[in-house]
Amino acid sequence: MGGQLILIRHGSAEERTPEGDDFYRELTEAGAEELAAFLPDIAPLLTKKGNLKIWTSPLIRARQTAELVAKAAAVEEIQYKEFLGTGDYAAFSEVLAQEADGFTLALVGHEPYMGLWTKELIGAAIPFKKGAAAFFTIDLTADPVGKLEWLQAPGESAHRKHEEADDCSPCDGENTVYAGIIREQMAGVQHAYAAYQQDPVEPESAHALRVAIRQLRALLNFNKANGEEKYYREAGEDWREIATTFGYLRELDVLMDECRELRGLYPEMLAEDAQVLTWLKEERQAEQASIHDLIASGALTERILDAEAATSQFLKSIQLDDIQQKKAAIKKIDKMKKRLLRKWEEVDFSNHEQTHSLRINAKKLRYAATYLAPIIGEKDKTVIKEMKKIQTGLGTLCDLDINGHLLLEMADKTDDSELQSHFRTLSEHQFRRREAILNDEED
């Protein structure tokens, strides 16, 4: 049993006010105009079977959006569903199971619920820009039950498979192999974002998300000179800000792993229930709660959507076909390698800023050599191996420096004199280990 499901987030609405009632917030004039221009483009895709039903949240801004959807799709009836206002997926599932096979439903609702429902449908949360629509084919006997066919938002092109969509001409600036690689990387970020939400306590979930974003940024940087600078800068800054959101969480995870490794040297100080790790766990819980608030409010989702939109604009601005891109890629990788090896000979390894910068450049080159293989023809295994070796070696130096300074900051944050002493002892150990590596001494 199955059908088609379209999730639509309401358009741009009035801002929240302390004294106002969220229920009565209306679409802004600009928001209504944007939807009125956008919805006729997707209406034919919603009404192919002629059995479209429209369900909406009772909140005013959603009702108004649903009315615009109904007008564009020539549907007379709109049904109000409380679960679309509250985000109750279980209640929705019960109602959906009662629909006849071959249904076509358009649901108008809110974030973060739309994104969370996509996690239930396809296993990954997809951020919804205001006015965005996502089209799924549904098979209630499958696992997962949904398959995303396309995602489209006002002002953006549909992310649908060209061979599966009618009346879909090639998208200018978005048909190259490079553009496909970038879109695949953005999908990877979305999946990592969903995985983090599913298990925020697992250290690797935050790490995987940051790595996915760094890979994407590195691949965008690779074509920096070939597209519009303003779009590149906007996309790069947005993605960097998102990655930074999880930066402190990752630093705490690395530090806790290091403390557990040092338990043999400081058994009482670093026991799992002793002061140091207890304090670090509480600090991580607080940081995790802060990130949860960003996700629940929709603020982090908005950042991801802004980053995706800027990335899309950057892709459109790149005026290289696949042949030109291949020549440029081979030349750029060779140039990056020569520059990095030259810096390797010049770097002052005792200088954290220099080693950190070199490590980042090694990652960028490794990501380019790995993920641009479809463009250049094959993976440059020599470059990948050399860059991974550099990245790993410098990573130890960088982590020890970060750990040492982080422990000193923590000593300043607590009033407990014993805990302060523990933090400073561990900090000194990190700096001594770093110095030993620099002097090629035994730890």
Side-chain angles (χ1 to χ4, degrees), residues 37 66 72 91 102 160 168-169 193 228 232 261 316 364 388-389 404 430 443:
R160 66 177 80 104
C168 180
S169 58
Y193 182 48
E228 287 285 342
Y232 168 78
E261 288 290 326
K316 290 178 183 178
K364 288 180 179 179
K388 188 170 185 178
K389 183 178 179 180
Q430 298 297 289
D443 186 2

Side-chain angles (χ1 to χ4, degrees), residues 290-428:
S290 177
I291 294 172
H292 173 77
D293 290 343
L294 279 176
I295 294 173
S297 70
L300 192 55
T301 294
E302 287 289 348
R303 290 179 190 173
I304 292 174
L305 289 166
D306 288 343
E308 289 182 341
T311 301
S312 178
Q313 291 297 326
F314 177 64
L315 292 177
K316 290 178 183 178
S317 72
I318 297 174
Q319 302 300 312
L320 297 180
D321 61 25
D322 289 334
I323 296 175
Q324 294 169 326
Q325 187 69 254
K326 180 177 181 178
K327 292 179 180 178
I330 293 172
K331 183 178 179 180
K332 180 72 179 286
I333 287 177
D334 185 59
K335 183 178 179 180
M336 289 172 70
K337 180 181 177 180
K338 289 178 180 178
R339 182 182 179 188
L340 190 141
L341 292 177
R342 185 175 67 251
K343 286 190 173 183
W344 175 263
E345 296 296 328
E346 301 170 350
V347 68
D348 176 4
F349 290 99
S350 65
N351 185 306
H352 173 70
E353 296 301 324
Q354 289 186 28
T355 54
H356 181 61
S357 176
L358 188 61
R359 185 190 184 205
I360 290 175
N361 287 330
K363 284 183 179 180
K364 288 180 179 179
L365 181 51
R366 181 164 73 91
Y367 294 151
T370 301
Y371 293 101
L372 296 181
I375 294 175
I376 60 180
E378 61 180 355
K379 291 183 180 181
D380 192 330
K381 295 180 180 179
T382 301
V383 168
I384 294 170
K385 185 176 180 180
E386 289 178 352
M387 293 307 107
K388 188 170 185 178
K389 183 178 179 180
I390 290 173
Q391 177 188 334
T392 302
L394 295 178
T396 302
L397 287 174
C398 292
D399 286 347
L400 290 170
D401 188 87
I402 293 170
N403 286 344
H405 286 96
L406 190 58
L407 286 161
L408 289 177
E409 291 175 11
M410 290 174 176
D412 292 337
K413 289 173 70 172
T414 180
D415 296 326
D416 187 314
S417 59
E418 184 178 7
L419 189 54
Q420 286 177 347
S421 176
H422 291 339
F423 281 144
R424 289 181 179 133
T425 297
L426 292 170
S427 175
E428 290 171 5

Side-chain angles (χ1 to χ4, degrees), residues 14 16-26 59 61:
E14 298 169 335
R16 291 183 176 87
T17 60
E19 65 280 356
D21 187 334
D22 183 64
F23 182 94
Y24 292 102
R25 288 170 53 212
E26 298 186 355
L59 278 65
R61 57 191 181 277

